[in-house]
Amino acid sequence: MTTLLAFAFVLGVLVFVHELGHFLAAKRVGIRVLKFQLGFNPTIASFRRGDTEYGIGALPLGGYVKMAGESPDEPRTGRSDEFLSKTKWQRFQVLIMGPAMNIGLAFVLTAVVLYQGAEVPAYDDALPVVGAVTPGSVAAGADIKPGDRIVSVSDRRVDTWEQFFVAIGSRPNQATPLVIERRGQQFDRTVTPTVAPGKSRFEIGEIGVLPDVHPHIPSVNPGEPGERAGIKPGDVILAIDGEPIIFQGQLVEAISKRPEQQITIDILRGGERLQLHATPERRGQRGWLGVLLADETKSVRPGAVDAVRMSFKRNVEYGGLIFHTVGGLLTRETSPRQLMGPVAIAQLSGESAQLGWIALFGLMSMISLNLGILNLLPIPVLDGGHIFIMALEGVARRDFSVRVKEKMLLAGFVVLMMLMVTVIYNDLTRISWIERLMPWR
């Protein structure tokens, strides 16, 4: 139920904002709006105010604003309040305002989320200098070593670990050129990111390089194996039995799978590297040291002005990534498996809602930005497609016939249906019991 309610809320807000943009722009330029509806037909509730009927449809997967005289095949009365009676500039304003409102909503929601503050990984905005390489990984096979600075991924410069993970994550199973800097010298490597374990649902790539960070010990339980081994609050865990430990999860796993077995722990204390020996106590089937574990994080608490500035920067970066992804789909560099449809959005909405309003608003901002940008693509049926057709008419200095426009809209509809089939198929394969019914998977 939480998933359904969260999905309805997310989609309802995004569609309402989009259609509100068209509605307000139409009213502003004097176009008569016949109907403003959230959800698709059949209409289950409605009321009329002035010339406009406001309604709610039974299928909450969209919405629409119906304007007088907007379709070329509708009978024209010649009234000045019809859509096609307006100038191309006025029609452009109506078409652009839907996507613009979604992009604006993404900007506002991101600023709200950032203003609340958060604990983020300490390495997120650090230079992508390799701290560890996973044995047997793609990076190990490409002779990438600790200390190497990753300069670019697929000819895109990366200056932070966040940028690196996004760039690599978007290229699973694709040959990807890297530029590596080692001791002042740059050289090229080509890697093929594999799908990260636990992230196959959205096919996120990885190559097995990790930042130079380690979990630390905030507190130690008195009398437990950790204290008896000499572990103290503030210690940084570098390795277990010679295996580098980067994240808290790795440390938990290393301890859990060694109950009643002596382990060697490399720690950093006061700038000095020490080696301790401990024997995890058995708790059920798992090992237990009795220490609290935490990853290296930092607090981000921007003021209102900084939150707005950071929101603008982040949405510009994400917008560039969306265009890059669309371009990658056309050149077959991006896997279609990374596309999400309504089922996946519903799942993410439910998961985010369980984490709280801030997480849900963060998801909404990303979906709203995607919705705004994708609606601007020059595909007939979309807002960007209608703008594209008007631009072609402007270049040709004449309006196309109804027959030509119908063929263009039909082509756009076919493209959208192919895309819809792809994303729904992706969504279904992310549901384990349905995927098991697919013998070709």
Side-chain angles (χ1 to χ4, degrees):
M1 182 58 70
T2 299
T3 296
L4 292 176
L5 291 176
F7 177 60
F9 173 75
V10 169
L11 201 60
V13 170
L14 299 187
V15 171
F16 173 76
V17 168
H18 183 93
E19 299 303 333
L20 182 64
H22 291 315
F23 176 80
L24 294 177
K27 288 289 190 179
R28 180 179 177 276
V29 298
I31 296 173
R32 180 162 39 96
V33 178
L34 303 178
K35 191 167 186 178
F36 182 167
Q37 177 159 307
L38 290 180
F40 294 131
N41 289 332
T43 301
I44 58 177
S46 67
F47 68 92
R48 177 173 294 277
R49 183 174 180 181
D51 294 325
T52 308
E53 178 187 354
Y54 300 86
I56 297 177
L59 187 61
L61 294 177
Y64 63 91
V65 169
K66 180 173 178 57
M67 295 170 281
E70 66 177 314
S71 176
D73 56 359
E74 289 181 5
R76 299 280 302 277
T77 66
R79 289 179 52 170
S80 62
D81 60 1
E82 293 181 345
F83 180 78
L84 291 175
S85 297
K86 300 299 180 179
T87 65
K88 284 184 170 58
W89 169 243
Q90 290 173 319
R91 283 181 275 161
F92 169 79
Q93 293 177 59
V94 175
L95 293 170
I96 199 71
M97 275 303 293
M101 287 283 279
N102 279 128
I103 294 172
L105 178 64
F107 175 82
V108 171
L109 288 176
T110 303
V112 170
V113 170
L114 291 170
Y115 183 68
Q116 301 304 310
E119 292 291 323
V120 299
Y123 59 83
D124 255 11
D125 57 0
L127 287 174
V129 176
V130 178
V133 178
T134 304
S137 65
V138 171
D143 192 37
I144 297 174
K145 300 178 179 180
D148 288 351
R149 154 79 159 98
I150 301 171
V151 178
S152 68
V153 176
S154 189
D155 300 323
R156 294 172 59 204
R157 184 175 178 86
V158 290
D159 294 316
T160 66
W161 275 105
E162 183 180 28
Q163 292 175 359
F164 167 77
F165 285 134
V166 169
I168 283 293
S170 64
R171 297 183 60 83
N173 305 315
Q174 297 284 335
T176 303
L178 304 179
V179 174
I180 306 294
E181 183 177 302
R182 180 183 298 167
R183 293 190 291 274
Q185 301 294 319
Q186 291 191 356
F187 55 91
D188 298 328
R189 288 285 186 270
T190 298
V191 298
T192 301
T194 56
V195 176
K199 299 180 180 178
S200 58
R201 185 166 64 150
F202 301 111
E203 200 159 294
I204 298 174
E206 70 166 17
I207 62 172
V209 296
L210 300 168
D212 187 18
V213 294
H214 304 278
H216 63 279
I217 308 295
S219 65
V220 179
N221 296 340
E224 300 276 19
E227 184 189 52
R228 295 196 298 268
I231 298 175
K232 297 181 179 180
D235 286 350
V236 176
I237 307 299
L238 303 178
I240 298 288
D241 288 341
E243 179 184 341
I245 299 296
I246 306 300
F247 301 122
Q248 172 189 342
Q250 293 175 281
L251 181 54
V252 171
E253 182 182 0
I255 296 170
S256 296
K257 67 183 183 182
R258 293 175 172 90
E260 300 177 347
Q261 300 176 34
Q262 188 181 74
I263 59 176
T264 300
I265 307 174
D266 291 309
I267 68 169
L268 190 67
R269 180 185 295 164
E272 182 182 1
R273 185 168 183 140
L274 303 174
Q275 198 170 78
L276 304 175
H277 299 284
T279 302
E281 181 180 299
R282 182 180 292 276
R283 295 282 180 92
Q285 299 299 316
R286 302 167 65 85
W288 171 267
L289 280 182
V291 297
L292 184 64
L293 311 175
D295 285 323
E296 288 188 43
T297 62
K298 62 180 180 180
S299 297
V300 177
R301 296 287 187 274
V305 175
D306 284 339
V308 170
R309 178 181 55 79
M310 292 169 64
S311 174
F312 177 79
K313 179 181 178 182
R314 180 165 297 187
N315 279 287
V316 169
E317 291 177 352
Y318 287 170
L321 179 62
I322 293 169
F323 282 116
H324 179 77
T325 300
V326 172
L329 290 171
L330 297 176
T331 60
R332 303 184 68 181
E333 291 183 0
T334 300
S335 170
R337 281 276 299 157
Q338 295 186 320
L339 300 177
M340 293 188 301
V343 177
I345 293 174
Q347 290 176 326
L348 290 176
S349 298
E351 293 168 4
S352 298
Q354 291 176 354
L355 295 174
W357 286 103
I358 296 303
L360 188 61
F361 282 175
L363 175 67
M364 285 177 62
S365 70
M366 295 181 64
I367 298 175
S368 189
L369 182 65
N370 275 269
L371 182 61
I373 291 178
L374 294 179
N375 257 288
L376 290 175
L377 295 178
I379 300 175
V381 180
L382 298 179
D383 295 323
H386 290 293
I387 293 172
F388 180 65
I389 292 174
M390 282 201 310
L392 291 179
E393 290 178 333
V395 172
R397 296 188 177 182
R398 64 180 180 85
D399 289 346
F400 298 145
S401 66
V402 172
R403 185 178 179 183
V404 169
K405 288 184 179 180
E406 285 178 345
K407 289 182 177 180
M408 297 174 76
L409 293 174
L410 178 61
F413 178 77
V414 170
V415 171
L416 283 185
M417 286 301 99
M418 292 173 61
L419 182 62
M420 184 60 68
V421 169
T422 299
V423 298
I424 291 177
Y425 174 79
N426 288 347
D427 286 355
L428 294 178
T429 60
R430 293 176 183 129
I431 302 174
S432 57
W433 69 270
I434 293 181
E435 186 179 25
R436 287 196 294 269
L437 300 177
M438 301 176 177
W440 58 89
R441 292 285 302 171

